[in-house]
Amino acid sequence: GTWRVRDDVWIRYTPEGGPAKVGPLGLGFTPYLDQHHFGPELAFGAVLGDAIDDPVLLVKTAWGGKSLYTDFRPPSSGGEVGPYYRRMIDDIRTAIARAKEEIPGPDGKPREYAVELSGFVWYHGWNDGCDPAHAVPEYESNLVHLMQDVRRDLGVANLPVVVGEITVPWVDAPNEWGRLRKAQAAATTRPEFQGNVVFVPTAAFVRDPKESPNPQHAHHEFGNAETYLLVGDALGKAMRSLVVKGSPAFVPTLP
């Protein structure tokens, strides 16, 4: 009668202005105080937990109202480095450093972990789409720089990357939103990313707002749980194809 909490997948998430939430993967790793919200991490973690024998740690770095153009701006894009780019890198490093004390072994006692940084997921775009004159034209180059800089700053040269297409309310995204989606896909096709970066289309997961609990919240997929589960599942299968030997190739779900 309750949602299953995994004992083999852990998550660490630090909301803006609040303490870190650390625990086995389940509901509640969001900025909200209640325990019934979740994001794509739920289904993503389930896919990776089923595919990997060792314990899996997810580091969620998500803060509302942030753009790649400004807030997450990577160093190689020039200009002022985004404060949330720096915070994202710091959060990942902190999670790795504290894994020993925060993630117990099967007996509940501290355990020595050799943490392997295995992949990076980027699922983002709404706030850049709200700035069609500046942020959208730069999105492709900024995303390329982001992937390159994350690899450099975390010390993993060919770190696998999965880029999730911005979902929100459109199967066929209009105007700047369509251009933004194309920019996301184009960034992943650069020659240097072949074989270690996968793009995940999401248009097939868009649901009618009338079937959703928050029909006015287009920026949050109308709060539709099915959308979030399907997006997370697809992101997980894409990452699995990159990091788990012998796993099936990722096949996008198209509308």
Side-chain angles (χ1 to χ4, degrees):
T2 60
W3 193 273
R4 178 188 174 195
V5 176
R6 302 210 45 133
D7 58 7
D8 57 346
V9 181
W10 287 68
I11 182 168
R12 190 180 206 278
Y13 170 57
T14 306
E16 192 162 20
K21 299 181 180 182
V22 185
L25 182 62
L27 306 181
F29 290 93
T30 74
Y32 301 98
L33 297 178
D34 62 67
Q35 293 299 307
H36 70 266
H37 284 84
F38 64 89
E41 73 279 349
L42 191 63
F44 177 85
V47 173
L48 273 298
D50 289 346
I52 298 173
D53 292 333
D54 292 322
V56 175
L57 170 63
L58 308 180
V59 186
K60 181 175 179 177
T61 56
W63 307 286
K66 305 296 183 287
S67 71
L68 178 58
Y69 181 73
T70 301
D71 304 289
F72 280 97
R73 191 173 188 85
S76 295
S77 288
E80 184 176 354
V81 178
Y84 287 87
Y85 175 86
R86 298 189 186 280
R87 178 170 176 175
M88 175 178 67
I89 298 297
D90 288 344
D91 274 19
I92 295 169
R93 290 172 174 164
T94 298
I96 293 172
R98 294 185 180 175
K100 175 183 174 181
E101 60 190 81
E102 293 182 341
I103 305 175
D107 58 0
K109 297 180 180 179
R111 175 177 171 180
E112 290 285 351
Y113 287 102
V115 180
E116 178 185 357
L117 188 58
S118 299
F120 176 73
V121 177
W122 183 252
Y123 177 55
H124 168 277
W126 176 270
N127 280 80
D128 288 85
C130 293
D131 184 4
H134 305 98
V136 172
E138 272 196 31
Y139 200 93
E140 180 182 345
S141 62
N142 285 337
L143 181 52
V144 169
H145 290 144
L146 178 81
M147 291 187 280
Q148 294 170 335
D149 289 354
V150 164
R151 288 173 165 180
R152 182 200 63 222
D153 290 342
L154 295 177
V156 184
N158 293 308
L159 182 69
V161 178
V162 169
V163 175
E165 181 180 51
I166 183 173
T167 312
V168 287
W170 307 287
V171 173
D172 296 313
N175 303 317
E176 63 268 21
W177 303 102
R179 295 194 295 274
L180 177 61
R181 279 181 167 178
K182 290 178 181 177
Q184 292 174 318
T188 67
T189 65
R190 299 289 180 98
E192 64 267 32
F193 296 145
Q194 296 309 298
N196 51 43
V197 175
V198 172
F199 177 71
V200 176
T202 63
F205 308 140
V206 174
R207 295 295 178 260
D208 192 311
K210 296 178 182 178
E211 300 174 359
S212 307
N214 296 310
Q216 304 304 316
H217 287 194
H219 58 298
H220 281 166
E221 289 79 18
F222 310 120
N224 190 291
E226 183 181 14
T227 296
Y228 279 104
L229 289 170
L230 291 172
V231 169
D233 182 74
L235 295 174
K237 289 174 178 174
M239 184 61 73
R240 182 183 65 188
S241 74
L242 294 176
V243 303
V244 180
K245 291 183 179 180
S247 62
F250 173 67
V251 179
T253 302
L254 303 175

